Amino acid sequence: MTEATDFQRAYDDLLGQGLALDLTRGKPAPEQLDLAEEMLSLPGAGDHLSAAGVDVRNYGGDQGLPELREIFAELLNVPVAQLLALDNSSLSLMHDVLVYSLLHGRNGAEPWAGRSVKFLCPVPGYDRHFALCESMGIEMVPVALGERGPDVEQIAALVAEDPSIVGIWTVPTYANPTGAVYDEETVRALVSMPTAAPDFTIMWDNAYALHHLTDEEPAPIDVHGLAAAAGNPDRVISFASTSKITFAGAGVAFLGGSVETIAWFRNYAGFRSIGPNKVNQLRHVRFFGDAEGVRAHMRRHREIIAPKFDLALRILQERLGDAEAVRWSHPAGGYFITLEVADGTATRVVQLAKEAGIALTPAGASHPYRNDPDDRVIRLAPTMPSLAQLEAAIEGVAICVRLAAAEVPSQA
């Protein structure tokens, strides 16, 4: 009996289980959302004044509540004066920054809409970043991402010569999907390198800055301070949110930048909104109290999801540890595991998994235009399923990886 036959038999057994499992997106599990259940009763009746005596039920306050900004300024390593607390979605803020840059320009440069513009995209990367660029006609240029950040030599060569390259996407702490953590040397290079475009922008998506899976809790790098020290204070716009801290659909998003960048954003955002949801912001202040309250809350998250990552990694090692050309990330934080399968088989793995009732993020999603040239990267999201569901899903994925490789003569 051939190895391929063994894998086919295992897959046939998998088909017979009638699974309906989903590993597509990094959603908090219900147990994680329950951690913030108390917030639904906050702020209480009659509790509607901010620390400054402002009635949060009314219009205004476009910078967000100062007391909430103080909490997250400490956590994100951004000066309070350079941090806005806004509505629930950091992705919306990224969208707005791109739109304002397209329509109005940044740093005294011409609006992007009147130019041919490109963004650098470290790969593997975040599919929603790529979707934003594609929706707005911004050309994407892949660059390599390593364990300590993107290839700065490759980036420096590109941005020095091409004025149409106006930005780069970054997820500096526990990158989506690899779990890479940028080191200070990489960040110093990014904020200081000469660029042909005067408005070159680092989109610093610090979505997972507080999402640790181990006892080590590295503090976010002071990217705005480093940029200012390098003479490029306006180069970085940072983003974060509480979407995976409190309620995924009802959190608070943050935008950081230089004093000038904050003024630029507030100017155009003022036409869009009279102010953020300050009632929700006060709810977060009452729930957390201070920065240490956020840290303690995140440790409770870790107690729920770290065992899921441990389980997924153990199964991958047991089922695929001896598989040729297969490897996976071992993240210390964030929401994802990156699985790299044999070249040319990722699409087939996803298809086999779908037919077996296991939904995975589409192959190629980790690359601009959904084009993974090696067809090998698959993003796994272990947080949402129960442990029992996750075990069944990862066992099933391993079978699909083996079968897909066995179907290719060179991989058999």
Side-chain angles (χ1 to χ4, degrees), residues 17-41:
Q17 294 180 32
L19 299 176
L21 304 171
D22 190 343
L23 298 181
T24 55
R25 302 223 68 90
K27 294 182 179 179
E31 296 81 3
Q32 293 176 260
L33 300 174
D34 288 345
L35 294 174
E37 192 75 5
E38 178 189 339
M39 287 184 60
L40 295 178
S41 62

Side-chain angles (χ1 to χ4, degrees), residues 149-171:
D151 185 335
V152 291
E153 291 185 4
Q154 180 187 11
I155 292 169
L158 290 168
V159 299
E161 298 180 357
D162 189 347
S164 70
I165 297 177
V166 295
I168 182 172
W169 290 108
T170 63
V171 183

Side-chain angles (χ1 to χ4, degrees), residues 120 122 143-146 148-160 168 170 182-195 200 202 204 235:
L120 302 180
V143 293
L145 177 66
R148 297 189 177 100
D151 185 335
V152 291
E153 291 185 4
Q154 180 187 11
I155 292 169
L158 290 168
V159 299
I168 182 172
T170 63
Y182 292 22
D183 64 10
E184 187 167 318
E185 181 180 357
T186 296
V187 177
R188 285 184 182 277
L190 289 172
V191 300
S192 62
M193 62 179 58
T195 64
F200 180 75
I202 298 173
W204 186 264
R235 179 171 292 186

Side-chain angles (χ1 to χ4, degrees), residues 55-92:
D55 190 333
V56 298
R57 301 171 300 176
N58 219 325
Y59 290 126
D62 70 317
Q63 292 176 279
L65 292 185
E67 51 265 51
L68 185 64
R69 292 164 54 214
E70 288 173 3
I71 291 173
F72 279 85
E74 176 181 337
L75 294 166
L76 299 171
N77 205 358
V78 180
V80 176
Q82 295 173 228
L83 186 69
L84 303 178
L86 300 167
D87 284 324
N88 72 305
S89 170
S90 57
L91 189 66
S92 295

Side-chain angles (χ1 to χ4, degrees), residues 53-312:
V54 174
D55 190 333
V56 298
R57 301 171 300 176
N58 219 325
Y59 290 126
D62 70 317
Q63 292 176 279
L65 292 185
E67 51 265 51
L68 185 64
R69 292 164 54 214
E70 288 173 3
I71 291 173
F72 279 85
E74 176 181 337
L75 294 166
L76 299 171
N77 205 358
V78 180
V80 176
Q82 295 173 228
L83 186 69
L84 303 178
L86 300 167
D87 284 324
N88 72 305
S89 170
S90 57
L91 189 66
S92 295
L93 300 182
M94 297 173 219
H95 175 278
D96 289 350
V97 166
L98 294 183
V99 169
Y100 300 159
S101 299
L102 283 162
L103 295 178
H104 308 293
R106 266 184 28 85
N107 294 357
E110 291 295 316
W112 292 355
R115 302 147 57 187
S116 174
V117 293
K118 305 171 186 173
F119 253 64
L120 302 180
C121 300
V123 294
Y126 182 27
D127 54 343
R128 292 197 183 274
H129 290 165
F130 305 154
L132 280 175
C133 282
E134 191 169 5
S135 72
M136 298 181 192
I138 299 172
E139 183 180 343
M140 292 177 279
V141 179
V143 293
L145 177 66
E147 292 183 0
R148 297 189 177 100
D151 185 335
V152 291
E153 291 185 4
Q154 180 187 11
I155 292 169
L158 290 168
V159 299
E161 298 180 357
D162 189 347
S164 70
I165 297 177
V166 295
I168 182 172
W169 290 108
T170 63
V171 183
T173 303
Y174 310 130
N176 179 349
T178 68
V181 178
Y182 292 22
D183 64 10
E184 187 167 318
E185 181 180 357
T186 296
V187 177
R188 285 184 182 277
L190 289 172
V191 300
S192 62
M193 62 179 58
T195 64
D199 50 353
F200 180 75
T201 301
I202 298 173
M203 299 287 277
W204 186 264
D205 184 359
N206 220 356
Y208 307 103
L210 307 174
H211 299 70
H212 313 294
L213 290 171
T214 73
D215 290 333
E216 293 189 27
E217 300 180 358
I221 289 175
D222 178 14
V223 64
H224 295 290
L226 292 177
N232 297 308
D234 303 326
R235 179 171 292 186
V236 181
I237 304 180
S238 62
F239 308 88
S241 80
T242 69
S243 292
K244 292 181 175 67
I245 297 175
T246 54
F247 295 135
V252 178
F254 300 90
L255 182 145
S258 68
V259 172
E260 290 76 13
T261 295
I262 293 298
W264 170 85
F265 183 87
R266 289 177 66 194
N267 178 52
Y268 296 112
F271 297 108
R272 177 180 178 274
S273 172
I274 298 175
N277 183 344
K278 299 185 298 300
V279 174
N280 191 38
Q281 293 190 7
L282 185 61
R283 175 181 298 127
H284 281 72
V285 172
R286 296 288 185 262
F287 182 67
F288 289 125
D290 55 22
E292 189 52 41
V294 180
R295 296 186 184 101
H297 185 76
M298 295 309 297
R299 291 174 191 131
R300 291 190 283 273
H301 275 276
R302 186 182 76 193
E303 291 173 0
I304 295 171
I305 65 172
K308 296 183 180 183
F309 279 81
D310 292 342
L311 174 65

